[in-house]
Structure formats: C-alpha cells, structure tokens
Amino acid sequence: FPTYRFTSAVIDSPNTALVRPINWNNVMTKLDFLPINVKDYGAIGNGVTDDAAAMNSAFTALPTLGGVIYFPAGTYLVSSGLNFNTKKSLVLWGDGPYNTIITGNLTGAATIKRFFGTGSDFFIHGLQIKNTSATGLAAIWVEAFIIGVLEYCQIISAGTYGLYAAANVFTFHVRNCSITSGGVNTGIGVLSTSHTLIENCDVTGWDEGIRCSGTTCDIIGCRLEVNKPGIVVGKNAAGTTFALSRSMISGNSFEANDVGILFKSIGSSIVSGIGMQGSTNAPSGQSQIGILVEGATDTAFLSMGIGGSFNDAAIRIKSGASTRQTWTNVNATNSISTAKIWDVQQGLTDLSFHNCNYLIRPDDSIVTGRYLQRHGRFQYLAQTDYLNSAKEGKNLRGKDIVVTEAATTK
C-alpha cells in the first residue's frame, strides 16, 4: 500500500501526479479507512517471534464496519488461529504469496478463519497462508458471508482442508491461487458449495483436489495434478452424495491424478474443454481412470481429450449412472493395451455420442487391441457416424437402439 502525507494544502503521494486540495471535513472519516499495518501493532515478521497477539490487536483496532489490514513482506508465525470474525467488512492485503507468509502449526484449528453472517464480506489478496499440522483443520476457513474474494494467494495445509468454504456461502470467487498439500496426498484442497467460482488455480497433491456440490459451483481454467481424484463432483462436507447442478466445469487440465474427475452426482450442467493425461507419476504409481461417471443427468460432456496411460479405463460410465447424457467431440486413448479406453456399462438410457471415438459394435471398430464394454439402450438424436445401417436399420435419426450383450467389442 502507498503511504500519504497530509499537509494544509495537498496530499503528497508516491504518484506525484496526485495533488489535490484537502476537504478537512472529510479527513477524519477517510482516515478511519486507511490500512492498518500489523507492524504498527507489534508484529515482527521474522518467522521466529509469535505474531498472533499483534495481529489480533490490529484486527481489534478496526472500526465496527471493518477495514483493511496490511501485512508487509515477512514471515508471520502464529501459535493460535486468527479468528477475524467480528467486523462486517474485511480486507487482508499482503505483498505477494512469496513475500508475505502467515504460518502456524495449529492442531484442530485454521490459520485464518472468517465467520460473520448476513451482510458480511471479505477480500484476501497476496498472502501465503499455511498450516503445517497434520491434524490441523485448514489453512483458511470461510463461512457465512454474502460476498468473498480470495485472489493471488498460496494456500498450503498438511491437515484436513486447504480451503474450507462449504457452509452458508452466497457469492465466492477464488482466482489465481496455488492450493497445495503440505503432506503427501492428505486432505481436501478445496471444499466448496453453491455460488462459487474457482478460476485459474493450481491444485496439487491432495486426497481430493476439489470437492464440490450444491448449485452453481463453476471450476474454470484450473490445473489439477498429482491428486487421488482431481475433482469430486456431487459429494458434500459430510461425505454423502449431494448433487451439483446448474454448473460448469470448463477449460481445466489434469495430469498424473489417480482419477481425473469423479462424478458422484451432477445434473443440468456442462463439462467441456477438458485436457487430461494419465501417468505413472500419479499418487498410486499409475493413473486408474480419467473420467468416472457414477451419476449424471441432463448433462453435456463436450470437446474433451483424454490420453496417456490408465490402468483401468480412460472413460467409464457406470451402470445406473442416471440418464440423458450427451457426449460430443470427445476423443479418448489409452496407451496401456490391456486396459480399456471407453467402458460404457449396461443399464443406461438416453445417452448420445456425436463425433466421439466411442464405437458401438465390433463390426464398426476402427481401433484394434482395445476393450469397449457392452451397454444397454441408447437414443441417438443427431449424428449417425459409426452406425452400421444394414444391421441397425435405415432410419437411425431419433431411433431407440438396443445393443445386446453379444455386441461387446474387444
């Protein structure tokens, strides 16, 4: 933050072009909203001295409506969690995630917790927030707010969560952040719920990279690598199935995860622009499945490339995985010749494949040495590529097609 010098005539700023008269009637009001520097309240930032009390003093000094706390470059060690919960509006501002570090070894606690309630908001920028305890709750825990933004931060946690944001969230934007496990594939990187946008983030090294459920939780332009599953869709904080709906998962890349995306339950949503690579660098030593669909209804899967190596299958759509799925412009490969590319199981209805390399019958096969699993009844509403009209009938558009068990291809 820049500093300003007040004189009787002008405000002198680091920006010399800013010179304007002072309205002294407003000066005291404006001073109330100037940033509070934690070093003015005794914080040292040397990575050795416990700065928790000084930071809490800085927070207490804010007016009731809130304000800005500035953390200059330094490593701020805290022996207890920072509970910034009693101010309506809060901004935490650092000098960048590699310059301003807040760290603690906090069993059963979060390094920073923000909880207020109706009408509250927060903005967190330019901090590294770290909890090194394997039994820690989180690096950052946010709950019960109307508007929240977390940007340009690094989140590191060896405990249960990196970022917990799964209760009473109304509008939350996480952008341009690195979210990393401080252990070896422990915990959940981001636990999120409704009305959340996770954008341009790198999520690495978790038991679950991102777990999302609820309504309108969008994940866009992120990179997920070396997680057990990269994203788990349709599972709530309690670990039970709870659908994600009216959401978009788009433009994300995946590398060396055991499972790229696990869809427990999703509806009325779009999954698009996915690039995924299976690898021997996955946590288990080999990626297992790229896309695993256990439950999806009224959902479009569009423009995806799944490749690399998978022990099990590049794409698996499980029996009973709901209905009314459209797969368009999806290409899957698998360099492990004894494993499957597409594994589309029986007991499914109303799936359509358009411009995909999923093949329906063995006599349509243009791929050798791969397994394509049998499936049940499907409805093809548009493109009829790869259908054998002599066997399936001349009128394929809109026709219900039953493919028998004998049609399993190998």
Side-chain angles (χ1 to χ4, degrees):
F1 272 89
T3 57
Y4 296 89
R5 184 171 71 254
F6 289 83
T7 72
S8 59
V10 298
I11 303 176
D12 293 328
S13 162
N15 180 357
T16 56
L18 177 60
V19 179
R20 64 177 184 264
I22 292 178
N23 181 346
W24 286 103
N25 292 326
N26 295 330
V27 165
M28 294 310 297
T29 301
K30 293 183 183 299
L31 284 172
D32 286 341
F33 293 94
L34 289 176
I36 286 180
N37 188 324
V38 293
K39 290 197 170 183
D40 292 339
Y41 290 81
I44 304 300
N46 61 6
V48 177
T49 304
D50 182 6
D51 287 322
M55 291 184 176
N56 285 320
S57 295
F59 177 72
T60 301
L62 291 173
T64 303
L65 291 179
V68 181
I69 300 179
Y70 171 50
F71 301 83
T75 299
Y76 299 90
L77 180 67
V78 294
S79 61
S80 58
L82 303 173
N83 294 322
F84 294 152
N85 297 330
T86 59
K87 310 297 182 181
K88 189 171 184 178
S89 183
L90 179 66
V91 176
L92 305 180
W93 195 279
D95 282 335
Y98 297 101
N99 297 318
T100 301
I101 301 166
I102 302 173
T103 183
N105 190 290
L106 305 173
T107 299
T111 307
I112 292 178
K113 185 174 182 180
R114 170 63 174 164
F115 179 100
F116 187 86
T118 302
S120 63
D121 61 82
F122 66 86
F123 189 104
I124 301 174
H125 170 96
L127 298 172
Q128 182 182 127
I129 305 169
K130 188 173 183 179
N131 190 344
T132 61
S133 172
T135 55
L137 184 60
I140 180 167
W141 181 296
V142 292
E143 182 178 344
F145 58 89
I146 300 300
I147 301 172
V149 175
L150 177 70
E151 67 169 19
Y152 188 45
C153 288
Q154 185 174 29
I155 308 300
I156 302 174
S157 174
T160 306
Y161 306 104
L163 166 62
Y164 178 98
N168 298 315
V169 174
F170 289 91
T171 305
F172 188 31
H173 193 173
V174 183
R175 61 194 182 211
N176 301 100
C177 290
S178 170
I179 303 167
T180 307
S181 170
V184 181
N185 292 103
T186 59
I188 300 172
V190 181
L191 182 63
S192 62
T193 186
S194 301
H195 313 298
T196 296
L197 172 59
I198 303 170
E199 182 180 25
N200 297 334
C201 291
D202 186 276
V203 182
T204 305
W206 298 93
D207 246 359
E208 299 177 23
I210 299 173
R211 183 195 291 184
C212 54
S213 61
T215 302
T216 318
C217 180
D218 299 328
I219 304 171
I220 298 176
C222 293
R223 182 182 182 191
L224 298 105
E225 51 186 341
V226 201
N227 304 286
K228 290 184 178 177
I231 300 176
V232 178
V233 177
K235 187 177 178 183
N236 64 15
T240 57
T241 300
F242 189 89
L244 177 72
S245 64
R246 300 194 293 279
S247 297
M248 178 178 290
I249 299 173
S250 182
N252 302 290
S253 64
F254 298 78
E255 184 176 350
N257 302 283
D258 282 350
V259 176
I261 310 178
L262 168 57
F263 292 95
K264 300 289 290 183
S265 181
I266 187 172
S268 303
S269 296
I270 295 174
V271 182
S272 67
I274 299 297
M276 188 175 295
Q277 192 79 6
S279 169
T280 56
N281 295 320
S284 67
Q286 174 61 64
S287 298
Q288 305 298 311
I289 301 176
I291 302 288
L292 175 55
V293 181
E294 295 183 356
T297 300
D298 299 322
T299 294
F301 297 85
L302 312 171
S303 302
M304 299 194 292
I306 313 298
S309 56
F310 301 93
N311 260 347
D312 197 340
I315 298 175
R316 169 170 289 164
I317 307 173
K318 292 189 68 175
S319 297
S322 304
T323 186
R324 297 189 301 278
Q325 301 170 28
T326 299
W327 294 76
T328 304
N329 297 332
V330 178
N331 185 77
T333 61
N334 191 350
S335 64
I336 298 179
S337 61
T338 55
K340 300 172 183 176
I341 299 176
W342 291 82
D343 180 8
V344 183
Q345 300 182 349
Q346 288 186 317
L348 300 164
T349 59
D350 293 331
L351 275 70
S352 62
F353 296 86
H354 311 282
N355 289 334
C356 297
N357 70 331
Y358 173 65
L359 308 176
I360 299 169
R361 300 176 58 95
D363 51 16
D364 296 316
S365 179
I366 58 173
V367 181
T368 59
R370 302 289 188 270
Y371 290 80
L372 296 173
Q373 182 74 327
R374 63 180 178 259
H375 52 82
R377 176 174 172 159
F378 298 80
Q379 187 175 42
Y380 292 84
L381 298 176
Q383 185 162 329
T384 60
D385 289 0
Y386 304 144
L387 296 182
N388 186 322
S389 61
K391 294 179 180 294
E392 301 293 358
K394 300 293 185 181
N395 182 18
L396 298 175
R397 186 179 297 273
K399 172 178 167 49
D400 288 336
I401 301 170
V402 177
V403 181
T404 66
E405 185 171 327
T408 301
T409 62
K410 183 176 181 179

